[in-house]
Amino acid sequence: MPQEATRTPLTAEEELRSRSVFATEIGAQLARQGWAVFPAHTPEERIRLFAVARIIEERLGCRVEAVPEDICSMRFTVVSAAHEVGPAAGASGQLDD
C-alpha cells in the first residue's frame, strides 16, 4: 500500500513520533513472546502499523509480519528463518532419535 496516498490528522513530526512509540511498545511484546496484537480501526491506522512493522524489523534485526487479525486489530509475529524458506531449512536443526 502506498503510504503517500493516505491522509492523517497528524503532522509529519507527530506521525514519526507515534510510529516510534508504537514500535517500542509492540517491539517489546514481540521480544518477550514472539507476537503482539495492536488496535487498528481505520485504514490509516493499518497502514501506519505496516510501517511500524518495518521499524521493528530494523530494531530487532529479524523479519516481522503484520497482518489484520480482525476488523479492529493487527497481529505482529516474528517470522523465523525456517518459516520463511520452507520446511527443508529446519532439517539440519532436527534432533536424531
Side-chain angles (χ1 to χ4, degrees):
M1 287 184 207
Q3 293 175 1
E4 298 79 24
T6 63
R7 296 183 52 100
T8 178
L10 303 177
T11 66
E13 182 181 335
E14 290 169 334
E15 181 68 32
L16 289 174
R17 276 192 267 152
S18 69
R19 288 180 183 193
S20 180
V21 170
F22 293 162
T24 298
E25 184 175 327
I26 296 166
Q29 279 188 291
L30 285 171
R32 275 194 314 273
Q33 61 194 29
W35 63 274
V37 175
F38 202 80
H41 300 280
T42 66
E44 292 81 10
E45 289 173 339
R46 290 181 189 273
I47 291 168
R48 180 178 296 125
L49 292 177
F50 283 119
V52 166
R54 304 298 71 87
I55 295 168
I56 296 168
E57 283 181 343
E58 291 175 14
R59 291 181 181 178
L60 294 180
C62 58
R63 178 139 158 55
V64 174
E65 183 178 66
V67 296
E69 182 170 73
D70 55 34
I71 62 170
C72 297
S73 61
M74 296 283 288
R75 181 176 184 84
F76 293 80
T77 309
V78 174
V79 180
S80 68
H83 181 264
E84 283 188 53
V85 294
S92 62
Q94 293 178 347
L95 297 174
D96 294 324
D97 290 350

